[in-house]
Amino acid sequence: MKLCIYLIVLLNPFLNVDFKRDIWTYPKVILVADLIVDGKISKVSKNQYEFTITQFVKGKSIPKINVIIFEDWTCDRRIEKPKIGQKLILFLKKNKVHNYEIVNQSTGELFIQKDNSVNTFMREKLSDAAVLKTGVKMFLETYTLKGNELYYSKKKSSSDISKMKKENKFFKILV
């Protein structure tokens, strides 16, 4: 038994363990989310934070909700630790305990910066928050999720979608 443990410890640096994160596209995150909201963190505890909603983009709830803090790991780290006053756009799923979980972890937690731009876990800036939220609403008006599998169904014509792409940068990215 000791020999097995020594071999594992000795060979560990040479083993190539490759973990990959399942990165979802924003169309999938939007359609799977029960609730998409804009607001800020009002209280932080060990495993969750209280989030005060200022705008509902998709769905409805009470104005203060509890959001479970996802665990950072090698392939998926939060930009910043949760702190009071932090402004976010969240894509959320309701769980059985009546709390909310962030959809696809850091993909569903967008940080609103002081200049109103939006940062993701990949450190890439997206449209400003207002353009992003409008693009999400346009996407929800245009596509729907069908069945248990991720299958999008159009609610609008291709010509309407082409016009909408010109109206909003984020909607164009989503489509």
Side-chain angles (χ1 to χ4, degrees), residues 4 24 26 28 33 58 63 69 82 90 94 116 123 132 169:
C4 284
W24 290 9
Y26 278 103
K28 181 177 179 179
K58 178 184 179 183
I69 298 171
L90 298 174
K94 194 168 194 168
N116 211 32
R123 301 270 189 211
L132 186 136
K169 291 178 191 177

Side-chain angles (χ1 to χ4, degrees), residues 13-77:
F14 301 104
L15 297 175
N16 184 11
V17 180
D18 189 20
F19 294 104
K20 287 191 175 184
R21 179 173 180 262
D22 182 19
I23 299 174
W24 290 9
T25 62
Y26 278 103
K28 181 177 179 179
V29 170
I30 291 166
L31 292 174
V32 167
D34 296 324
L35 191 64
I36 302 173
V37 292
D38 175 354
K40 61 182 171 181
I41 296 174
S42 46
K43 191 187 303 181
V44 179
S45 62
K46 184 178 179 182
N47 298 322
Q48 66 184 12
Y49 53 81
E50 181 182 78
F51 192 74
T52 303
I53 299 167
T54 55
Q55 183 181 7
F56 292 93
V57 179
K58 178 184 179 183
K60 292 287 179 207
S61 76
I62 58 176
K64 286 190 179 193
I65 59 173
N66 291 318
V67 178
I68 295 172
I69 298 171
F70 68 88
E71 196 173 322
D72 284 348
W73 62 293
T74 306
C75 299
D76 196 7
R77 294 181 187 260

Side-chain angles (χ1 to χ4, degrees), residues 3 8 12 34 54 59 68 87 91 94 107 112 116 121 153 157 170:
L3 181 61
I8 290 171
N12 192 29
D34 296 324
T54 55
I68 295 172
K87 291 184 176 183
F91 299 78
K94 194 168 194 168
T107 306
I112 302 173
N116 211 32
F121 76 100
S153 177
S157 70
F170 192 65

Side-chain angles (χ1 to χ4, degrees), residues 119-135:
N119 275 358
T120 69
F121 76 100
M122 295 179 287
R123 301 270 189 211
E124 67 184 49
K125 283 195 176 185
L126 296 175
S127 308
D128 79 12
V131 172
L132 186 136
K133 290 182 287 187
T134 301

